[in-house]
Amino acid sequence: MEFNHGQEHVDDGMVIVQANLDDMNPEHVPYVTDRLLEAGANDVYWIPIIMKKGRPGLMLNVLVEEERLGQMEAIVFAETSTLGLRYMRASCHRLGRVMEKVETPWGPITVKAGYYQGRRVQFAPEFRECEQTARRHGVPLKEVYEEVRRAYSAEGGRR
Amino acid sequence: MEFNHGQEHVDDGMVIVQANLDDMNPEHVPYVTDRLLEAGANDVYWIPIIMKKGRPGLMLNVLVEEERLGQMEAIVFAETSTLGLRYMRASCHRLGRVMEKVETPWGPITVKAGYYQGRRVQFAPEFRECEQTARRHGVPLKEVYEEVRRAYSAEGGRR
Amino acid sequence: MEFNHGQEHVDDGMVIVQANLDDMNPEHVPYVTDRLLEAGANDVYWIPIIMKKGRPGLMLNVLVEEERLGQMEAIVFAETSTLGLRYMRASCHRLGRVMEKVETPWGPITVKAGYYQGRRVQFAPEFRECEQTARRHGVPLKEVYEEVRRAYSAEGGRR
Amino acid sequence: MEFNHGQEHVDDGMVIVQANLDDMNPEHVPYVTDRLLEAGANDVYWIPIIMKKGRPGLMLNVLVEEERLGQMEAIVFAETSTLGLRYMRASCHRLGRVMEKVETPWGPITVKAGYYQGRRVQFAPEFRECEQTARRHGVPLKEVYEEVRRAYSAEGGRR
Amino acid sequence: MEFNHGQEHVDDGMVIVQANLDDMNPEHVPYVTDRLLEAGANDVYWIPIIMKKGRPGLMLNVLVEEERLGQMEAIVFAETSTLGLRYMRASCHRLGRVMEKVETPWGPITVKAGYYQGRRVQFAPEFRECEQTARRHGVPLKEVYEEVRRAYSAEGGRR
Amino acid sequence: MEFNHGQEHVDDGMVIVQANLDDMNPEHVPYVTDRLLEAGANDVYWIPIIMKKGRPGLMLNVLVEEERLGQMEAIVFAETSTLGLRYMRASCHRLGRVMEKVETPWGPITVKAGYYQGRRVQFAPEFRECEQTARRHGVPLKEVYEEVRRAYSAEGGRR
């Protein structure tokens, strides 16, 4: 197994940026998401909402470090149709993270484990590697995913 | 009390028309709804969906008699951005309907009751009248609504 | 392991019953669901929709054998606020089902497996047993769930 | 009528805890909700969202007093699949509450009333009692609910 | 072209007021929205959520200046069924706004443009004028909308 | 301009395949969508639903020609967690389609136009080409999109 640590920590300097969009072509949504993530957003997600006059809109949400707020605003104003945005301060609690490799019939696949106060509470196969394996070997994705989880549990992981 | 009957019946000649929209300005949604209802749709509703490439779209649904299908299609193609639509046959079971007036401190308000096999199973204050009453008299809408229901129950309705 | 077969089959005599609700107290939703399932519905689910005048409503869906349509209608009219409903014919393709027990550190737990053309394509721990085990033994539910899946995979199931 | 007061107040020491989940089995959702409420959460709710790569996820929301934040985090990390969570400070304004009993043809049922600046603005039948009454007496739930509201209005409540 | 400036600015004194509703008639939603906007809310929107016991609810959101918080609370408690609400502080970044008229075959229509750091990043036809034009002249709304955008682009706007 | 015709037609041999999923990892959703489209589905979309016991699930929808039903079923059973699926017959009305190239400052970009009864009612820039252009030239996607629409309108398209 290989290791790749990330320490558990709390980050108090985060902001959540929000914009309500009722006149944007929804086709643009994945592109806007990618642009924000490439520019350093920690997370980007969209919430279906109902706006005034009964319009079904979308609320863009960007979680980002406060010092990158300006860069996010520039992208939101350039790439969406909004005339305004809002933001709130937030704190993030992130688990310690360890990447490990497990052996499978189709070769090694990475598992990401999460540690809370020194104890492993999460583990998940790296999705993209499972997807590539499923395509390359012509097996159902859920079978690859399941086998990685089984193999990781059997090895006992790095407790 | 006044009466205004509608017989309970089943109508087997209905269709549901659907179109998935991922590149339409959502601002247009209420307008499209109104246009379809004015042209004879029995009901129009929208469902938030997730389309290919992770695009958050909207599915337009129109419930209409089969003989009006062509008129609905003309509006859907003219007023939305879709390149295609689909439809399925459906049957509608509609309750008998009776409109009655009840007295309230703010004047008479209409109640619509629904009859299933001759027995009243539903009744609801006419929303628009309640709304106008709330605005005109400066009382909360839910108070008007509640009072109409209470008065109707007390009178016993037209069982 | 114990066995409990259900043959794979297609049932062409199903209907989907739908009602759009914009004036029902959402608190009643789980109760209506339970009543319909108790009376023989194969499945009951709700879809958030946007109705005319921009009202956020709920569409009730009931999947049921055509011969029970009348019973479902009686419940929908008695327990919801709708003045009408619609239905469409549908076919259901159901996998063969086998219930098996697997051993876990907390005792045996049932797994339900699904067979498509004689090959097992699905398996899932019985949710309620996992939940009871998690509560009784004070372990996270996802740990119980994972252990059942691991044990079932290790045993190879009844391929 | 019986009384059971709760004073109207504002509580500035609340937090909203949020976690975005795109790889959790949705079957676990009600269990996680129950666990958090049992451990002292004031409210727990879930929002359907669209996450990166077009994944339809769920955002868990927990409203809780700041001093219980640690307990909530322990449950979120143990029972969900998340590698991180975030929280924001919030203030809660809660109405004064009074529980009263009203007589119905099926026995007494509790009504919860809400007081804003000394004036009653809300009242609602206790859902669970209505549900039990409906089941025990074989009457539609909405009929029980309506009767409780009518009886409460007729008595005038404890204005 | 006519001008009507609004300066770009950041407003740190905003609050977001939220209430989760699981027992309110959704028919009242547009009315509550209108009442809050008339009383000075900057924005009002609704999010479909899943509440405890699997109830599909709605979360009301009101974005408003902190000094109007009391007025908003009075409306929320009077017009919805909630026994409590919460609020969080937020900052709003609003673009500079310029209203301009463009000529179309159906007469002049207003365009609202948004300026970020002195550069135009947004423009959108005034929806209500487009809608009235479409109705009056019997042309598809999207054709009116498109023509206004085209004419504005051709004129170059007020860069 | 180049041409590439597709005739307007109605296809009565379509089916809509549906499966309700309450225990599938949502991370797999885009993969399942891609697999179904690659195997010949006409459209694939997902609807957030509320299932029994208050579980937030997803309904998979596949629109496909009836003769490909078997292939779709094989993928649904292999790649999702469902133990059953259902299908309904549907008719599709597809507009005539013409692909045309328009000149822009960043090179030619394709526009897809839709014809209803011989009259053009739709046109839309090819999304992928706009996206590539935006990335390659470092301009906002919405600016590219707008310019393509403007250029197409100015040329008058192939009316």
Side-chain angles (χ1 to χ4, degrees):
Chain A
M1 291 191 187
E2 303 167 22
F3 301 106
N4 171 352
H5 280 266
Q7 296 297 319
E8 185 180 358
H9 65 280
V10 174
D11 183 342
D12 288 321
M14 304 295 294
V15 285
I16 297 174
V17 184
Q18 298 182 326
N20 292 4
L21 301 163
D22 72 353
D23 66 348
M24 192 177 94
N25 184 335
E27 214 176 23
H28 295 204
V29 159
Y31 180 80
V32 174
T33 301
D34 289 349
R35 292 274 288 119
L36 289 161
L37 290 171
E38 288 159 15
N42 288 253
D43 204 0
V44 177
Y45 49 98
W46 302 77
I47 305 178
I49 61 176
I50 296 159
M51 298 174 67
K52 63 180 184 228
K53 294 175 198 147
R55 293 173 185 164
L58 287 167
M59 192 209 295
L60 164 62
N61 285 259
V62 187
L63 180 70
V64 73
E65 296 158 19
E66 196 163 12
E67 53 261 47
R68 292 190 198 225
L69 175 59
Q71 290 156 259
M72 297 298 126
E73 290 186 307
I75 294 172
V76 171
F77 287 129
E79 300 286 355
T80 78
S81 59
T82 197
L83 289 166
L85 54 76
R86 58 189 178 273
Y87 45 88
M88 290 161 286
R89 303 182 65 90
S91 299
C92 283
H93 184 160
R94 301 190 188 96
L95 295 185
R97 289 162 204 217
V98 178
M99 308 299 270
E100 307 181 41
K101 291 266 183 214
V102 293
E103 287 304 319
T104 77
W106 315 284
I109 290 182
T110 308
V111 170
K112 188 194 279 176
Y115 287 76
Y116 173 60
Q117 301 182 348
R119 206 164 48 80
R120 194 185 68 214
V121 289
Q122 318 291 15
F123 72 92
E126 278 291 275
F127 186 77
R128 201 166 287 264
E129 295 179 28
C130 293
E131 193 178 7
Q132 286 164 353
T133 299
R135 285 206 175 268
R136 198 176 310 126
H137 294 271
V139 281
L141 173 59
K142 76 180 183 216
E143 204 171 304
V144 174
Y145 205 81
E146 191 72 26
E147 172 58 21
V148 177
R149 295 187 71 90
R150 196 203 56 70
Y152 184 81
S153 294
E155 288 189 34
R158 177 189 163 280
R159 301 258 173 185
Chain B
M1 290 192 190
E2 302 167 25
F3 301 106
N4 172 354
H5 280 264
Q7 295 298 319
E8 184 180 358
H9 65 280
V10 174
D11 182 343
D12 289 319
M14 304 295 293
V15 286
I16 297 174
V17 184
Q18 297 182 326
N20 292 5
L21 302 163
D22 72 353
D23 65 347
M24 192 178 94
N25 184 334
E27 214 175 26
H28 296 203
V29 159
Y31 180 80
V32 175
T33 301
D34 289 350
R35 292 274 287 120
L36 289 162
L37 290 170
E38 289 158 15
N42 288 253
D43 204 0
V44 177
Y45 50 98
W46 303 77
I47 306 178
I49 61 176
I50 296 161
M51 298 174 66
K52 64 180 182 226
K53 295 176 197 146
R55 293 172 185 164
L58 286 168
M59 192 208 295
L60 164 62
N61 285 259
V62 186
L63 181 70
V64 72
E65 297 157 19
E66 195 164 11
E67 53 261 48
R68 291 189 199 225
L69 175 59
Q71 290 155 261
M72 296 299 126
E73 290 187 306
I75 294 172
V76 171
F77 287 128
E79 300 286 356
T80 78
S81 60
T82 197
L83 289 166
L85 54 75
R86 59 188 177 273
Y87 45 87
M88 291 160 286
R89 302 182 65 90
S91 299
C92 283
H93 184 160
R94 300 190 188 95
L95 295 184
R97 290 163 203 217
V98 178
M99 309 299 270
E100 307 181 41
K101 292 265 184 214
V102 294
E103 287 305 318
T104 76
W106 315 283
I109 289 182
T110 307
V111 170
K112 187 193 282 177
Y115 286 78
Y116 174 60
Q117 300 182 346
R119 205 164 48 81
R120 194 185 68 215
V121 289
Q122 317 292 15
F123 72 91
E126 277 292 274
F127 187 76
R128 200 166 289 266
E129 295 179 29
C130 292
E131 193 179 8
Q132 286 164 352
T133 300
R135 286 207 174 267
R136 198 175 311 124
H137 295 270
V139 280
L141 173 58
K142 75 182 184 216
E143 203 171 307
V144 175
Y145 205 81
E146 190 74 24
E147 172 58 22
V148 176
R149 295 187 71 89
R150 196 203 56 71
Y152 184 80
S153 294
E155 286 190 34
R158 177 190 162 279
R159 301 260 173 184
Chain C
M1 290 191 188
E2 303 167 24
F3 301 106
N4 172 351
H5 280 264
Q7 295 298 319
E8 185 180 357
H9 65 279
V10 174
D11 183 341
D12 288 321
M14 304 295 295
V15 285
I16 297 174
V17 184
Q18 298 182 325
N20 292 4
L21 302 163
D22 72 353
D23 65 347
M24 191 177 95
N25 184 335
E27 213 175 25
H28 295 204
V29 159
Y31 181 80
V32 174
T33 300
D34 289 350
R35 291 274 289 120
L36 289 162
L37 290 171
E38 289 159 15
N42 288 253
D43 204 0
V44 177
Y45 50 97
W46 303 75
I47 305 178
I49 61 176
I50 297 160
M51 298 175 66
K52 63 180 183 227
K53 292 174 199 149
R55 293 172 184 164
L58 286 168
M59 192 208 295
L60 165 61
N61 285 259
V62 186
L63 180 70
V64 73
E65 297 157 19
E66 194 163 12
E67 53 262 47
R68 292 189 198 226
L69 175 59
Q71 289 156 260
M72 296 299 126
E73 291 186 306
I75 294 172
V76 172
F77 287 129
E79 300 286 355
T80 78
S81 60
T82 197
L83 289 166
L85 55 76
R86 59 189 176 272
Y87 45 87
M88 291 160 286
R89 304 182 65 90
S91 299
C92 283
H93 184 160
R94 300 190 188 96
L95 295 185
R97 291 162 203 218
V98 178
M99 309 298 270
E100 306 181 41
K101 290 267 183 213
V102 294
E103 286 305 317
T104 76
W106 314 283
I109 290 182
T110 307
V111 170
K112 187 194 282 177
Y115 287 76
Y116 173 61
Q117 300 182 347
R119 205 163 49 81
R120 194 185 70 215
V121 288
Q122 317 291 16
F123 72 91
E126 277 292 276
F127 186 77
R128 201 166 287 266
E129 295 179 29
C130 293
E131 192 178 8
Q132 286 165 353
T133 300
R135 286 207 174 267
R136 200 175 309 124
H137 295 271
V139 281
L141 174 58
K142 74 180 184 217
E143 203 171 307
V144 175
Y145 205 81
E146 190 73 25
E147 173 57 21
V148 177
R149 295 187 71 90
R150 196 202 55 72
Y152 184 78
S153 294
E155 287 190 35
R158 177 189 162 281
R159 302 255 174 187
Chain D
M1 292 191 189
E2 302 166 25
F3 300 106
N4 171 353
H5 280 265
Q7 294 298 319
E8 184 181 358
H9 66 280
V10 174
D11 183 342
D12 289 320
M14 304 295 293
V15 285
I16 297 175
V17 184
Q18 297 182 327
N20 292 5
L21 301 163
D22 71 354
D23 65 348
M24 192 178 95
N25 184 335
E27 214 176 25
H28 295 204
V29 159
Y31 180 81
V32 175
T33 301
D34 290 350
R35 291 274 287 119
L36 289 161
L37 289 171
E38 289 159 15
N42 288 252
D43 204 0
V44 177
Y45 50 97
W46 303 76
I47 306 178
I49 61 175
I50 296 160
M51 298 173 66
K52 63 180 183 225
K53 294 174 197 149
R55 293 173 185 163
L58 286 168
M59 193 208 295
L60 164 62
N61 284 260
V62 186
L63 180 70
V64 73
E65 296 157 21
E66 195 163 12
E67 54 263 45
R68 292 188 198 227
L69 174 59
Q71 290 156 259
M72 296 298 126
E73 290 187 306
I75 294 173
V76 172
F77 286 129
E79 300 286 356
T80 78
S81 60
T82 197
L83 289 166
L85 54 75
R86 59 188 177 272
Y87 44 88
M88 290 160 286
R89 303 181 64 91
S91 299
C92 283
H93 184 160
R94 301 191 187 94
L95 295 185
R97 290 162 203 217
V98 178
M99 308 299 270
E100 306 181 42
K101 292 267 184 213
V102 294
E103 287 305 318
T104 76
W106 315 283
I109 289 182
T110 308
V111 169
K112 187 194 282 177
Y115 287 77
Y116 174 60
Q117 300 182 345
R119 206 165 47 83
R120 194 186 67 214
V121 289
Q122 317 292 15
F123 72 91
E126 278 292 273
F127 187 77
R128 200 165 289 264
E129 295 179 29
C130 293
E131 192 178 7
Q132 286 164 354
T133 300
R135 286 207 175 268
R136 198 176 311 124
H137 295 270
V139 281
L141 174 58
K142 75 182 183 214
E143 203 171 307
V144 175
Y145 205 81
E146 191 73 25
E147 173 58 22
V148 177
R149 295 187 71 90
R150 196 203 56 72
Y152 185 80
S153 293
E155 287 190 33
R158 177 190 162 279
R159 300 262 172 181
Chain E
M1 292 192 189
E2 302 167 24
F3 300 106
N4 171 354
H5 281 264
Q7 295 298 319
E8 184 180 358
H9 65 280
V10 174
D11 182 343
D12 289 320
M14 304 296 293
V15 285
I16 297 174
V17 184
Q18 298 182 325
N20 292 4
L21 302 162
D22 71 354
D23 66 347
M24 191 178 95
N25 185 335
E27 213 176 25
H28 295 204
V29 159
Y31 181 80
V32 175
T33 301
D34 290 349
R35 291 275 287 119
L36 289 162
L37 290 171
E38 288 158 14
N42 287 253
D43 204 1
V44 177
Y45 49 98
W46 303 76
I47 305 178
I49 61 176
I50 296 160
M51 298 174 67
K52 63 179 183 227
K53 293 172 199 150
R55 292 172 186 164
L58 286 167
M59 191 208 295
L60 165 61
N61 284 261
V62 187
L63 180 70
V64 73
E65 296 158 20
E66 195 164 11
E67 53 263 46
R68 292 189 198 225
L69 175 59
Q71 289 156 260
M72 296 298 127
E73 290 187 307
I75 294 173
V76 171
F77 287 129
E79 300 286 355
T80 79
S81 59
T82 197
L83 289 167
L85 54 77
R86 58 189 177 274
Y87 45 89
M88 291 161 287
R89 304 182 64 90
S91 299
C92 284
H93 184 160
R94 301 189 189 97
L95 295 185
R97 291 163 203 215
V98 179
M99 308 300 269
E100 307 181 43
K101 291 266 184 215
V102 294
E103 287 305 318
T104 76
W106 315 283
I109 291 183
T110 307
V111 170
K112 188 194 282 176
Y115 287 76
Y116 174 60
Q117 300 182 348
R119 205 164 48 81
R120 195 185 68 214
V121 289
Q122 318 291 15
F123 72 90
E126 277 293 274
F127 186 76
R128 199 166 289 266
E129 295 180 29
C130 292
E131 192 179 8
Q132 286 164 353
T133 299
R135 286 207 174 269
R136 199 175 310 124
H137 295 270
V139 280
L141 174 58
K142 76 182 182 215
E143 203 171 306
V144 174
Y145 206 80
E146 191 74 25
E147 172 58 21
V148 177
R149 295 186 71 89
R150 196 202 56 72
Y152 185 79
S153 294
E155 287 190 35
R158 177 189 161 280
R159 302 256 172 187
Chain F
M1 291 192 188
E2 302 167 26
F3 300 106
N4 170 353
H5 280 265
Q7 294 298 319
E8 183 180 359
H9 66 279
V10 174
D11 182 342
D12 288 321
M14 303 296 293
V15 286
I16 297 174
V17 184
Q18 297 182 326
N20 292 3
L21 302 162
D22 71 352
D23 65 348
M24 191 177 94
N25 184 335
E27 214 176 23
H28 295 204
V29 159
Y31 180 81
V32 175
T33 301
D34 290 349
R35 292 273 289 119
L36 290 161
L37 290 171
E38 288 158 15
N42 288 253
D43 204 0
V44 177
Y45 50 97
W46 303 77
I47 305 178
I49 61 176
I50 296 159
M51 297 174 67
K52 63 180 184 229
K53 293 174 198 148
R55 293 172 185 164
L58 287 168
M59 192 209 294
L60 164 62
N61 285 260
V62 186
L63 180 70
V64 74
E65 297 157 19
E66 196 164 11
E67 53 261 48
R68 291 188 198 228
L69 175 59
Q71 290 155 259
M72 297 299 126
E73 290 186 306
I75 294 172
V76 172
F77 286 129
E79 300 286 355
T80 78
S81 59
T82 197
L83 288 166
L85 53 76
R86 59 188 177 273
Y87 45 88
M88 291 161 285
R89 303 182 65 91
S91 299
C92 283
H93 184 161
R94 301 190 187 96
L95 295 185
R97 289 162 204 218
V98 178
M99 309 298 270
E100 307 181 41
K101 291 267 183 213
V102 294
E103 288 304 318
T104 76
W106 315 283
I109 290 182
T110 307
V111 170
K112 189 194 280 175
Y115 287 77
Y116 174 60
Q117 300 180 347
R119 206 164 48 81
R120 194 184 69 214
V121 288
Q122 317 292 16
F123 72 92
E126 278 292 274
F127 187 75
R128 201 167 288 263
E129 295 179 29
C130 292
E131 194 178 6
Q132 286 165 353
T133 299
R135 286 206 174 269
R136 196 175 312 124
H137 295 270
V139 281
L141 173 58
K142 76 181 183 218
E143 204 172 305
V144 175
Y145 205 80
E146 191 72 27
E147 172 58 22
V148 177
R149 295 186 72 88
R150 196 203 55 70
Y152 184 80
S153 294
E155 287 190 35
R158 177 189 163 280
R159 302 259 173 184

